[in-house]
């Protein structure tokens, strides 16, 4: 059951009343008068439930979570919930959910809105990124996923309101290398390499790595011709094979990390030997980084839904080694639960 808690008043430019949004010429302000709250005995800082799971093809698809003959989209969403809902990344029963190649996504919500506290990371998305063992680069296994946020403005409890992308560090560090309004379509090819084409005149394949992942790579419960749209991040794969002895590894490719603003981009823990040293800075997301489809900043007082999709379209050229870059997540967390719960009863002034 979902209930809605009203904000008693919103004040803007001398006007006090109930408003759904305020738009200025240079900046968007989205302040809803209702907040999505689940009717639960105790609120949690972790994901309550997955709303959508639509991965692109990939080597972990149909395996994390496992597809079984006859499974529907609802079944796969239930299996995602079993892996990540209500869990921290250090829980023994937390398991990754794979999003496949570029564009594959998952949508989830908490049992409360997450408030936007100025100047702070508001929530974290946990993945399985790690620092490469030779410490030659920043990161090493960083399969960055783009994060989006949405507010339940129409109060129907569904993720069908406008979405806003979190503008990460690539927007300032890699100007001219990020592809906006990118689009990819994948075609079925049972038990073979999965072909794709994009709207930039390019094509390629998601290649099979039979030695490690022998299952079908195209999501079995989804239709043929899957098309995804969004932002493509710049390739972050580098070949460091020449820097390590063959006794260490036949191949040594790494995926460099981006500074901030993505999922599965930096390790969950500052100290990998300490499962309590959560990397809130590196994995945390500031809702204030949200932008609209014109890349203009949007100010949201709180959000109700989070979406993560694979932001990289690249594959390792070494045969049977890494394959495609695929974002994985293992959970998410509200970084200031008490403030989020107080938000629904607060007065706001713009």
């Amino acid at each position: 059951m979902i209930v809605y808690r009203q904000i008693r008043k919103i004040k803007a430019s001398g006007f006090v009343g109930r408003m759904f949004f305020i738009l200025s010429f240079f900046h968007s302000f989205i302040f809803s008068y209702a907040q999505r709250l689940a009717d639960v005995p105790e609120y949690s800082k972790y994901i309550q439930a997955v709303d959508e799971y639509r991965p692109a093809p990939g080597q972990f698809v149909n395996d994390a979570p496992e597809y079984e003959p006859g499974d529907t989209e609802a079944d796969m969403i239930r299996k995602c919930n079993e892996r990540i809902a209500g869990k921290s990344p250090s829980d023994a029963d937390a398991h990754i959910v794979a999003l496949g190649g570029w564009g594959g996504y998952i949508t989830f919500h908490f049992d409360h809105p997450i408030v936007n506290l100025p100047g702070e990371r508001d929530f974290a998305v946990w993945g399985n990124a790690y620092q490469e063992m030779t410490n030659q680069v920043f990161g090493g296994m960083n399969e960055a996923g783009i994060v989006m946020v949405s507010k339940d403005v129409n109060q129907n409890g569904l993720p069908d309101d406008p979405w806003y992308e979190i503008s990460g560090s690539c927007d300032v560090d890699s100007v001219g290398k990020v592809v906006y309004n990118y689009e990819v379509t994948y075609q079925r090819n049972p038990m073979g390499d999965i072909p794709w084409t994009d709207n930039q005149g390019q094509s390629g394949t998601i290649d099979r790595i039979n030695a490690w992942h022998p299952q079908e790579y195209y999501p079995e419960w989804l239709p043929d011709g899957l098309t995804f749209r969004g932002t493509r991040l710049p390739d972050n794969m580098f070949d460091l094979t020449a820097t390590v002895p063959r006794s260490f590894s036949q191949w040594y490719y790494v995926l460099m990390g981006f500074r901030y603003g993505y999922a599965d981009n930096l390790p969950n823990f500052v100290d990998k030997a300490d499962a309590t040293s959560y990397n809130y800075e590196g994995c945390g997301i500031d809702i204030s980084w949200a932008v609209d489809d014109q890349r203009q900043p949007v100010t949201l007082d709180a959000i109700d839904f989070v979406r993560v999709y694979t932001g990289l379209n690249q594959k390792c050229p070494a045969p049977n080694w890494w394959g495609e870059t695929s974002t994985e997540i293992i959970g998410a967390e509200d970084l200031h639960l008490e403030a989020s719960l107080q938000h629904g009863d607060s007065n706001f002034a713009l």
Side-chain angles (χ1 to χ4, degrees):
M1 176 180 178
I2 301 297
V3 297
Y4 289 86
R5 180 177 295 175
Q6 290 188 353
I7 297 171
R8 286 191 292 271
K9 59 183 177 181
I10 301 174
K11 182 178 181 181
S13 302
F15 175 78
V16 177
R18 294 178 177 176
M19 304 178 63
F20 280 107
F21 56 83
I22 302 168
L23 295 178
S24 72
F25 186 78
F26 296 105
H27 208 287
S28 297
F29 297 89
I30 312 294
F31 278 76
S32 164
Y33 71 82
Q35 299 302 318
R36 185 182 189 281
L37 285 164
D39 185 12
V40 295
E42 183 177 358
Y43 291 101
S44 169
K45 61 183 179 179
Y46 301 117
I47 294 171
Q48 183 184 40
V50 172
D51 301 280
E52 301 169 312
Y53 177 52
R54 297 181 69 83
Q59 62 188 292
F60 292 101
V61 172
N62 298 317
D63 186 42
E66 181 183 3
Y67 171 85
E68 297 173 288
D71 277 349
T72 64
E73 190 162 0
D75 292 322
M76 297 305 292
I77 289 172
R78 172 181 53 79
K79 292 180 178 183
C80 289
N81 281 323
E82 293 169 354
R83 286 175 164 256
I84 64 174
K87 295 177 173 63
S88 80
S90 59
D91 287 349
D93 60 345
H95 302 285
I96 66 165
V97 171
L99 305 186
W102 185 87
Y105 68 90
I106 190 170
T107 306
F108 53 84
H109 65 265
F110 297 76
D111 57 22
H112 61 277
I114 298 179
V115 69
N116 180 7
L117 293 184
E120 295 189 20
R121 297 325 198 238
D122 300 302
F123 65 94
V125 180
W126 306 115
N128 64 347
Y130 59 82
Q131 175 64 40
E132 57 93 8
M133 291 180 286
T134 65
N135 292 312
Q136 296 184 68
V137 300
F138 177 64
M141 186 56 171
N142 303 64
E143 302 178 289
I146 291 174
V147 179
M148 303 187 75
V149 294
S150 181
K151 190 163 185 175
D152 193 14
V153 177
N154 64 13
Q155 308 172 39
N156 68 354
L158 301 174
D160 57 1
D161 290 290
W163 283 94
Y164 305 99
E165 184 179 309
I166 295 298
S167 175
S169 59
C170 289
D171 286 340
V172 293
D173 294 345
S174 302
V175 176
K177 298 180 181 180
V178 181
V179 182
Y180 304 108
N181 302 311
Y182 188 58
E183 181 178 305
V184 170
T185 298
Y186 300 91
Q187 302 294 336
R188 284 187 182 276
N189 183 27
M191 299 305 291
D193 297 344
I194 306 297
W196 59 263
T197 56
D198 68 16
N199 62 350
Q200 308 294 305
Q202 303 297 312
S203 62
T205 55
I206 301 289
D207 295 344
R208 294 191 61 79
I209 307 179
N210 292 316
W212 309 114
H213 304 286
Q215 85 287 353
E216 171 59 46
Y217 286 13
Y218 196 99
E220 296 270 34
W221 67 97
L222 295 178
D224 191 14
L226 283 173
T227 297
F228 300 96
R229 300 174 181 85
T231 296
R232 178 182 173 179
L233 301 175
D235 292 353
N236 66 341
M237 183 177 295
F238 294 88
D239 183 0
L240 299 184
T241 302
T243 70
V244 300
R246 295 292 75 75
S247 59
F248 178 80
S249 178
Q250 180 184 6
W251 311 100
Y252 198 60
Y253 286 83
V254 297
L255 304 177
M256 288 186 63
F258 303 122
R259 287 193 299 119
Y260 65 85
Y262 305 101
D264 197 18
N265 172 60
L266 295 174
N268 295 337
F269 305 104
V270 177
D271 179 356
K272 64 181 180 181
D274 181 0
T276 66
S277 62
Y278 294 108
N279 188 3
Y280 295 123
E281 183 73 13
C283 300
I285 299 295
D286 186 344
I287 295 172
S288 297
W289 296 336
V291 296
D292 63 19
D293 57 6
Q294 301 300 311
R295 313 302 298 181
Q296 295 302 306
V298 175
T299 298
L300 298 161
D301 62 333
I303 57 96
D304 296 295
F305 297 98
V306 178
R307 177 175 292 164
V308 178
Y309 67 89
T310 299
L312 293 152
N313 188 4
Q314 63 186 3
K315 63 183 179 182
C316 182
N320 294 315
W321 210 59
W322 266 9
E324 84 288 344
T325 299
S326 166
T327 301
E328 288 91 38
I329 73 165
I330 198 169
E333 178 178 345
D334 182 348
L335 299 185
H336 38 62
L337 176 61
E338 290 305 316
S340 292
L341 295 179
Q342 293 170 9
H343 170 70
D345 286 331
S346 299
N347 295 334
F348 284 84
L350 291 180

